[in-house]
Amino acid sequence: EVVMTQSPVTLSVSPGERATLSCRASQSVSHNLAWYQQKHGQAPRLLIYGASTRATGIPARFSGSGSGTEFTLTISSLQSEDFAVYYCQQYDNWPPLTFGAGTKVEIK
Amino acid sequence: QVQLVESGGAVVQPGRSLRLSCAASGFTFSNYGMHWVRQAPGKGLEWVAIIFYDGSNKYYADSVKGRFTISRDNTKNTLYLEMGSLRAEDTAIYYCVRNFLGQGRIAAAYFAHWGPGTLVTVSS
């Protein structure tokens, strides 16, 4: 099973600032990595797939990078609606599909 | 547009069974692999199971293997999850999710379409 490790657990950021979230895989997953945003009481929303491709309707301030075992989600200028929990998920070596434990982005 | 609506969540005693359903609309259901993903209260996401578009293959997380069964009825555009021998640790919101790409492109196992989820609570 591919273990996904996200850091930090919590990220405190001021509106307008840049946020950088990390996701590490226990073995290479090539570019087969997705990012999701989840707000309280809602289902997750797909942000990025293929490590760097934005999903339909996702603003350009969200960008993904990385390959192999190291991945990054960057939010270039945080808006109020971006404060949420973010998950990474690998779909390279499965079953099982595996998610990271999440990074909570909170207002500083 | 794509719609997925789960139902069947309930409070159930340990050891009992429960069946969840997911009604799909807005796309050709029989063309897509479908998954269940769950989230325990205050916790992260856990993939549970997948069924291929034609029902030919099914895979499960180790935590539910032998206790849960995923199935589908393509004539009714409905996905099911039969949950048996329920445990307290199965308490979660269960989401029905659609594979990103259809038919044989099951490798695109990421999720743009989620249902709102249905809550299963296992408690005596």
Side-chain angles (χ1 to χ4, degrees):
Chain A
E1 171 175 328
V2 180
V3 177
M4 307 301 293
T5 303
Q6 291 187 242
S7 61
V9 173
T10 304
L11 186 62
S12 298
V13 186
S14 299
E17 289 189 340
R18 182 186 198 91
T20 303
L21 289 67
S22 295
C23 175
R24 175 177 294 176
S26 61
Q27 64 189 72
S28 176
V29 297
S30 186
H31 290 86
N32 297 313
L33 191 285
W35 289 94
Y36 300 86
Q37 175 193 68
Q38 188 178 32
K39 297 180 181 179
H40 184 70
Q42 297 183 15
R45 177 174 73 146
L46 178 67
L47 298 176
I48 300 284
Y49 60 92
S52 60
T53 303
R54 275 190 303 277
T56 301
I58 301 305
R61 64 180 181 272
F62 291 91
S63 63
S65 63
S67 65
T69 62
E70 301 284 343
F71 300 88
T72 300
L73 174 70
T74 301
I75 312 171
S76 60
S77 176
L78 269 156
Q79 307 297 302
S80 58
E81 61 266 30
D82 300 335
F83 293 96
V85 180
Y86 293 82
Y87 295 96
C88 61
Q89 176 227 331
Q90 68 83 20
Y91 53 94
D92 186 75
N93 187 345
W94 65 283
L97 295 166
T98 50
F99 293 87
T103 290
K104 181 180 180 181
V105 177
E106 63 176 25
I107 300 174
K108 187 173 183 180
Chain B
Q1 75 278 23
V2 174
Q3 261 204 310
L4 300 167
V5 181
E6 305 90 342
S7 60
V11 178
V12 61
Q13 292 180 327
R16 304 297 290 260
S17 298
L18 192 66
R19 187 175 84 158
L20 305 182
S21 299
C22 170
S25 60
F27 66 103
T28 304
F29 180 73
S30 59
N31 281 354
Y32 285 85
M34 297 295 297
H35 306 249
W36 289 97
V37 173
R38 69 183 181 182
Q39 186 169 36
K43 303 297 184 182
L45 301 166
E46 180 187 17
W47 174 80
V48 173
I50 179 182
I51 184 167
F52 281 28
Y53 69 100
D54 57 359
S56 60
N57 286 286
K58 307 173 186 181
Y59 297 102
Y60 299 90
D62 284 348
S63 57
V64 306
K65 201 173 295 181
R67 300 188 299 121
F68 289 12
T69 301
I70 189 171
S71 62
R72 65 191 298 157
D73 185 336
N74 285 346
T75 66
K76 296 182 178 178
N77 292 345
T78 303
L79 176 72
Y80 302 101
L81 185 67
E82 192 75 44
M83 310 164 66
S85 302
L86 281 162
R87 306 167 180 168
E89 54 265 36
D90 295 319
T91 294
I93 296 171
Y94 285 74
Y95 294 104
C96 165
V97 293
R98 196 194 81 174
N99 207 67
F100 190 79
L101 296 178
Q103 294 196 313
R105 295 170 292 180
I106 203 70
Y110 45 94
F111 313 122
H113 301 287
W114 298 65
T118 189
L119 177 61
V120 174
T121 302
V122 183
S123 173
S124 54

